Coordinates of all heavy atoms in Angstrom, one line a residue:
I120 N -3.2 -6.2 14.4 CA -4.4 -6.9 13.9 C -5.0 -7.6 15.0 O -4.5 -8.2 15.8 CB -3.9 -8.0 12.8 CG1 -3.2 -7.3 11.6 CG2 -5.1 -8.9 12.3 CD1 -2.7 -8.2 10.6
T121 N -6.4 -7.5 15.0 CA -7.2 -8.1 16.1 C -7.9 -9.4 15.7 O -8.0 -9.7 14.5 CB -8.3 -7.1 16.7 OG1 -9.1 -6.9 15.6 CG2 -7.6 -5.7 17.0
G122 N -8.3 -10.1 16.6 CA -9.2 -11.3 16.4 C -8.3 -12.5 16.1 O -7.0 -12.5 16.2
E123 N -8.9 -13.5 15.7 CA -8.2 -14.8 15.2 C -7.4 -14.5 14.1 O -7.9 -14.0 13.1 CB -9.2 -15.8 14.9 CG -8.6 -17.1 14.5 CD -9.6 -18.2 14.2 OE1 -10.8 -17.9 14.3 OE2 -9.3 -19.4 13.7
I124 N -6.1 -14.7 14.1 CA -5.2 -14.4 13.1 C -5.2 -15.6 12.0 O -4.9 -16.6 12.2 CB -3.6 -14.3 13.7 CG1 -3.7 -13.3 14.7 CG2 -2.7 -14.0 12.7 CD1 -4.2 -11.9 14.5
K125 N -5.8 -15.0 10.9 CA -5.9 -16.0 9.7 C -4.9 -15.5 8.6 O -4.6 -14.3 8.6 CB -7.2 -16.0 9.2 CG -8.3 -16.4 10.2 CD -9.7 -16.4 9.6 CE -10.7 -16.8 10.6 NZ -12.1 -16.7 10.0
E126 N -4.5 -16.4 7.7 CA -3.6 -16.0 6.7 C -4.3 -14.8 5.8 O -3.6 -14.0 5.3 CB -3.2 -17.2 5.8 CG -2.3 -16.9 4.7 CD -0.9 -16.4 5.1 OE1 -0.6 -16.6 6.2 OE2 -0.3 -15.7 4.2
S127 N -5.6 -15.0 5.7 CA -6.3 -14.0 4.8 C -6.2 -12.6 5.3 O -6.5 -11.6 4.7 CB -7.8 -14.4 4.6 OG -8.4 -14.6 5.8
N128 N -6.0 -12.4 6.7 CA -5.9 -11.1 7.3 C -4.7 -10.3 6.7 O -4.7 -9.1 6.7 CB -5.8 -11.2 8.9 CG -6.9 -11.8 9.5 OD1 -6.9 -12.6 10.4 ND2 -8.2 -11.5 9.0
Y129 N -3.7 -11.0 6.3 CA -2.5 -10.3 5.8 C -2.5 -9.9 4.4 O -1.6 -9.1 4.0 CB -1.3 -11.2 6.0 CG -1.1 -11.7 7.4 CD1 -1.0 -13.1 7.7 CD2 -1.0 -10.9 8.4 CE1 -0.7 -13.6 9.0 CE2 -0.7 -11.2 9.7 CZ -0.6 -12.6 10.1 OH -0.4 -13.0 11.3
W130 N -3.5 -10.3 3.7 CA -3.5 -10.1 2.2 C -4.5 -9.0 1.8 O -5.5 -8.9 2.3 CB -3.8 -11.3 1.4 CG -2.7 -12.5 1.6 CD1 -2.6 -13.4 2.5 CD2 -1.6 -12.7 0.7 NE1 -1.6 -14.1 2.4 CE2 -0.9 -13.7 1.2 CE3 -1.2 -12.0 -0.5 CZ2 0.3 -14.2 0.5 CZ3 0.0 -12.5 -1.0 CH2 0.7 -13.5 -0.6
S131 N -4.1 -8.2 0.8 CA -4.9 -7.3 0.2 C -4.5 -7.1 -1.3 O -3.3 -7.5 -1.6 CB -4.9 -5.9 0.9 OG -3.7 -5.3 0.9
G132 N -5.3 -6.4 -2.1 CA -4.9 -6.2 -3.4 C -5.9 -5.4 -4.3 O -6.9 -4.9 -3.9
K133 N -5.5 -5.3 -5.6 CA -6.3 -4.5 -6.5 C -6.1 -5.1 -8.0 O -5.0 -5.4 -8.3 CB -6.0 -3.1 -6.5 CG -6.8 -2.4 -7.5 CD -6.6 -0.8 -7.4 CE -7.6 -0.1 -8.3 NZ -7.5 1.4 -8.1
I134 N -7.1 -5.4 -8.7 CA -7.1 -5.9 -10.0 C -7.8 -4.8 -10.9 O -8.9 -4.4 -10.6 CB -7.7 -7.2 -10.1 CG1 -7.0 -8.3 -9.3 CG2 -7.8 -7.6 -11.6 CD1 -7.5 -9.7 -9.4
S135 N -7.1 -4.4 -12.0 CA -7.7 -3.4 -13.0 C -7.6 -4.0 -14.4 O -6.6 -4.6 -14.8 CB -6.9 -2.2 -12.9 OG -6.8 -1.6 -11.6
L136 N -8.8 -3.8 -15.1 CA -8.8 -4.2 -16.5 C -9.4 -3.1 -17.3 O -10.3 -2.3 -16.9 CB -9.8 -5.5 -16.6 CG -9.5 -6.7 -15.7 CD1 -10.6 -7.7 -15.8 CD2 -8.2 -7.3 -16.3
G137 N -8.8 -3.0 -18.5 CA -9.3 -2.0 -19.5 C -9.4 -2.6 -20.9 O -8.6 -3.5 -21.4
V138 N -10.5 -2.3 -21.6 CA -10.8 -2.9 -23.0 C -11.2 -1.7 -23.9 O -12.0 -0.9 -23.4 CB -11.9 -4.0 -23.0 CG1 -12.2 -4.4 -24.4 CG2 -11.5 -5.0 -22.0
N139 N -10.6 -1.7 -25.1 CA -10.9 -0.7 -26.1 C -11.0 -1.4 -27.4 O -10.2 -1.9 -27.9 CB -9.8 0.4 -26.1 CG -10.3 1.5 -27.2 OD1 -11.4 1.7 -27.5 ND2 -9.2 2.2 -27.6
V140 N -12.3 -1.3 -27.9 CA -12.6 -2.0 -29.2 C -13.2 -1.1 -30.3 O -14.1 -0.3 -30.0 CB -13.7 -3.2 -29.0 CG1 -14.0 -3.8 -30.3 CG2 -13.1 -4.2 -28.0
R141 N -12.6 -1.0 -31.4 CA -13.0 -0.1 -32.5 C -13.2 -1.0 -33.8 O -12.5 -1.8 -34.0 CB -11.9 0.9 -32.9 CG -11.4 1.7 -31.7 CD -10.2 2.5 -32.0 NE -9.6 3.2 -30.9 CZ -8.5 4.0 -31.0 NH1 -8.0 4.2 -32.1 NH2 -8.0 4.4 -29.8
S142 N -14.3 -0.6 -34.5 CA -14.6 -1.3 -35.7 C -15.0 -0.3 -36.7 O -15.4 0.8 -36.4 CB -15.7 -2.4 -35.5 OG -16.9 -1.9 -35.0
G143 N -15.1 -0.7 -37.9 CA -15.5 0.2 -39.1 C -14.3 0.5 -40.0 O -13.6 -0.4 -40.4
N144 N -13.9 1.8 -40.0 CA -12.7 2.1 -40.8 C -11.5 1.6 -40.1 O -10.5 1.4 -40.8 CB -12.6 3.7 -40.9 CG -13.8 4.2 -41.8 OD1 -14.1 3.5 -42.8 ND2 -14.4 5.2 -41.5
T145 N -11.5 1.5 -38.7 CA -10.4 0.9 -38.1 C -10.9 -0.2 -37.2 O -11.8 -0.2 -36.4 CB -9.9 2.0 -37.1 OG1 -9.4 3.1 -37.8 CG2 -8.7 1.4 -36.3
D146 N -10.2 -1.4 -37.5 CA -10.5 -2.6 -36.7 C -9.4 -2.8 -35.7 O -8.3 -3.3 -36.0 CB -10.7 -3.8 -37.7 CG -10.9 -5.1 -37.0 OD1 -11.4 -5.0 -35.8 OD2 -10.9 -6.1 -37.5

Side-chain angles (χ1 to χ4, degrees):
I120 297 177
T121 63
E123 181 183 355
I124 305 304
K125 301 178 182 179
E126 181 62 25
S127 59
N128 296 139
Y129 299 127
W130 293 88
S131 63
K133 181 174 184 177
I134 297 176
S135 302
L136 300 173
V138 178
N139 182 20
V140 179
R141 305 176 193 175
S142 62
N144 293 321
T145 301
D146 183 11

